[in-house]
Amino acid sequence: MRRAIAYLLLMLATSPALATELRVTDPWVREAPPTAHVMAGYLTLHNDSAETRRLVGVSAAGFGMSELHRTVMAEGVARMEHITNLPIEAGATAVLEPGGHHLMLMHPSQVPGAGATVAIELQFDDGSTLQFDAPVQRRRDGGQRHHDHSGHGSHSGHHGH
Ligand SMILES: [Cu+2]
């Protein structure tokens, strides 16, 4: 029995499948009005690797600029902050969901409607990337907790739009 366990551990330690795996599940982009300046993207990120990985960047096809944001509550008011990296420890899962961390997709060339998909790329601190398609969906869950993004509309004005 002990020998079998030792063999199993050896197999796990040498298995290439454990090398550098990051996985995205359940990606989606919240449906927004055709005039929206920003859209919010959500997903679950699994770090199956043996090291802490940091999500350091995001880009989305059809959007001029994308950032990683988190929503914070301050004195009962929800506001959001731009964050430059999101660490995910080895074996851990990061959930980007309404009211928490989210992908902020900004300056759409055209706002994609429900049923469309957005091609998104995540960039990590080790130089690796993950590409996936996120469907645009109308979801009710958690929507009330999410702040509106009207602040971004005026913010974009500073960039000369
Ligand atoms: Cu945001």
Side-chain angles (χ1 to χ4, degrees), residues 34 36-39 62-65 105-112:
H37 294 286
V38 298
M39 298 178 83
F63 292 82
M65 183 180 174
L105 315 180
M106 298 179 277
H107 309 319
S109 51
Q110 185 178 356
V111 173

Side-chain angles (χ1 to χ4, degrees), residues 77-121:
V77 179
R79 55 176 58 198
M80 59 188 181
E81 301 175 343
H82 174 204
I83 60 174
T84 54
N85 78 79
L86 174 65
I88 307 121
E89 291 179 18
T93 295
V95 181
L96 280 66
E97 60 187 349
H101 290 91
H102 54 276
L103 308 178
M104 193 94 275
L105 315 180
M106 298 179 277
H107 309 319
S109 51
Q110 185 178 356
V111 173
T117 59
V118 179
I120 294 176
E121 180 182 273

Side-chain angles (χ1 to χ4, degrees), residues 38 40 69-71 80-81 102-104 146-147 149 152:
V38 298
H69 280 188
R70 80 172 166 184
T71 301
M80 59 188 181
E81 301 175 343
H102 54 276
L103 308 178
M104 193 94 275
H146 201 52
H147 58 86
H149 287 107
H152 276 293

Side-chain angles (χ1 to χ4, degrees), residues 1-139:
M1 185 64 185
R2 182 167 294 174
R3 182 179 297 174
I5 290 171
Y7 182 61
L8 183 64
L9 289 174
L10 183 67
M11 280 195 21
L12 287 171
T14 57
S15 168
L18 289 178
T20 57
E21 293 303 323
L22 285 157
R23 287 180 296 124
V24 166
T25 56
D26 193 28
W28 63 289
V29 172
R30 183 183 294 283
E31 185 186 34
T35 55
H37 294 286
V38 298
M39 298 178 83
Y42 307 101
L43 53 89
T44 301
L45 193 53
H46 308 266
N47 181 0
D48 298 332
S49 80
E51 302 167 353
T52 297
R53 288 289 157 72
R54 293 171 187 278
L55 175 60
V56 296
V58 54
S59 62
F63 292 82
M65 183 180 174
S66 299
E67 290 178 347
L68 191 54
H69 280 188
R70 80 172 166 184
T71 301
V72 292
M73 293 296 294
E75 295 172 3
V77 179
R79 55 176 58 198
M80 59 188 181
E81 301 175 343
H82 174 204
I83 60 174
T84 54
N85 78 79
L86 174 65
I88 307 121
E89 291 179 18
T93 295
V95 181
L96 280 66
E97 60 187 349
H101 290 91
H102 54 276
L103 308 178
M104 193 94 275
L105 315 180
M106 298 179 277
H107 309 319
S109 51
Q110 185 178 356
V111 173
T117 59
V118 179
I120 294 176
E121 180 182 273
L122 302 181
Q123 292 122 24
F124 298 92
D125 59 339
D126 66 343
S128 66
T129 60
L130 267 182
Q131 288 93 18
F132 54 92
D133 289 330
V136 177
Q137 296 178 344
R138 179 183 306 162
R139 290 195 190 182

